[in-house]
Amino acid sequence: MEYIPGISLAEALGFWNSSSSPDQALIRDREIVAKRIITELLLGMSYLEQLGISHNDFKPDNIMLRTPEGCSFKPGDKVTFDIAAMHLRHGSVCIIDFGESNDISSEGTGLSTLGGGGNGMYRAPERYFKSSKRTPLSDIWVVGCLA
């Protein structure tokens, strides 16, 4: 297993959305930053689908922003707005926590489940109402929630 130096998207967005002294350049670049992160996330999701894997638990806590080169942030350091901004602007996206994932490579495409899989806030609607297959389509829902 690889160690990923960085911070979660949830942690970075917490600073982005609640800082008392916001980085004006980051605010102007919000759309550019969001597009970059969403694009990298979609590329990662596409790769997982090619491998026959459905993640089933995408949420900001399970998306890491790798510490960019030249950033002095180290594990255990306090995250500040400047550190969060640097990760949002330049940190590559890493998908983590595959505890709810399943193999969708067989003809059945997906594991039949009753609910389960994913955080309630980011769970696709079809996952609430009936037994459904765990497929990458449910993972795509999260992208819309994040955008």
Side-chain angles (χ1 to χ4, degrees):
M1 182 178 344
E2 178 186 0
Y3 171 72
I4 301 169
I7 61 175
S8 73
L9 181 60
E11 195 170 18
L13 290 176
F15 278 93
W16 190 0
N17 293 330
S18 67
S19 175
S20 59
S21 59
D23 179 330
Q24 293 302 314
L26 182 60
I27 290 172
R28 284 191 309 274
D29 296 343
R30 188 175 287 218
E31 186 174 326
I32 294 166
V33 168
K35 283 180 184 178
R36 184 189 64 77
I37 290 171
I38 294 294
T39 299
E40 286 189 35
L41 180 59
L42 287 170
L43 288 170
M45 293 168 83
S46 174
Y47 180 68
L48 288 176
E49 186 175 5
Q50 289 171 22
L51 295 175
I53 298 171
S54 182
H55 188 277
N56 297 308
D57 195 18
F58 276 114
K59 58 188 175 187
D61 289 319
N62 290 341
I63 301 166
M64 291 290 293
L65 299 172
R66 186 182 299 268
T67 299
E69 283 188 40
C71 179
S72 61
F73 180 75
K74 302 277 186 274
D77 287 354
K78 183 178 179 185
V79 177
T80 64
F81 184 83
D82 291 335
I83 294 295
M86 180 173 277
H87 281 81
L88 284 166
R89 280 195 185 111
H90 306 292
S92 60
V93 171
C94 299
I95 299 166
I96 62 170
D97 190 358
F98 286 82
E100 293 285 332
S101 66
N102 65 289
D103 181 358
I104 56 164
S105 60
S106 65
E107 279 299 310
T109 62
L111 174 68
S112 183
T113 63
L114 292 169
N119 180 297
M121 184 179 219
Y122 299 100
R123 188 181 300 167
E126 66 270 15
R127 302 303 307 275
Y128 282 103
F129 299 111
K130 61 181 178 180
S131 174
S132 64
K133 301 283 184 180
R134 291 183 176 189
T135 70
L137 294 176
S138 296
D139 289 344
I140 294 291
W141 175 262
V142 178
V143 176
C145 294
L146 293 173

